[in-house]
Amino acid sequence: EDADETNYFLELVEALQTANKRINELSISQRKVLKYKKEGKEEKQIAELMGINKETVRTHSQRAFKKLALPKILEYLDL
């Protein structure tokens, strides 16, 4: 069981390190969307602030999550 737990944490740390390295790969729009999401804004609000439609907000968000390997991190955290 200790080995499983150690593996779990090592894999989580690796995923977080990957996200940190990839942050510079985000486009300006992807960064803005993530910033607004962090502030608690909804897609409609973000779209209005950025002058784009909700689908584009969703696309920027999904691509940023993929670039940062966030689905893998969230899987480890069971979110």
Side-chain angles (χ1 to χ4, degrees):
E1 192 170 306
D2 285 342
D4 288 342
E5 192 171 300
T6 300
N7 265 351
Y8 165 83
F9 285 112
L10 289 174
E11 290 175 9
L12 176 58
V13 166
E14 184 180 324
L16 290 167
Q17 289 172 333
T18 297
N20 191 46
K21 288 177 190 172
R22 292 182 179 174
I23 198 126
N24 292 325
E25 296 176 15
L26 297 180
S27 71
I28 292 169
S29 296
Q30 289 168 344
R31 288 175 193 228
K32 284 183 181 179
V33 167
L34 292 182
K35 175 186 167 284
Y36 288 136
K37 282 184 167 257
K38 183 181 139 222
E39 294 172 358
K41 295 186 173 32
E42 296 185 14
E43 286 180 353
K44 182 178 179 180
Q45 294 171 300
I46 296 169
E48 290 171 3
L49 287 166
M50 294 180 65
I52 58 179
N53 66 47
K54 283 184 0 179
E55 285 299 316
T56 303
V57 170
R58 192 170 297 126
T59 298
H60 286 320
S61 180
Q62 290 170 344
R63 288 181 179 167
F65 269 60
K66 187 174 180 178
K67 279 183 186 178
L68 297 176
L70 292 179
K72 187 173 184 179
I73 293 168
L74 295 175
E75 180 183 316
Y76 284 113
L77 297 176
D78 198 27
L79 299 176

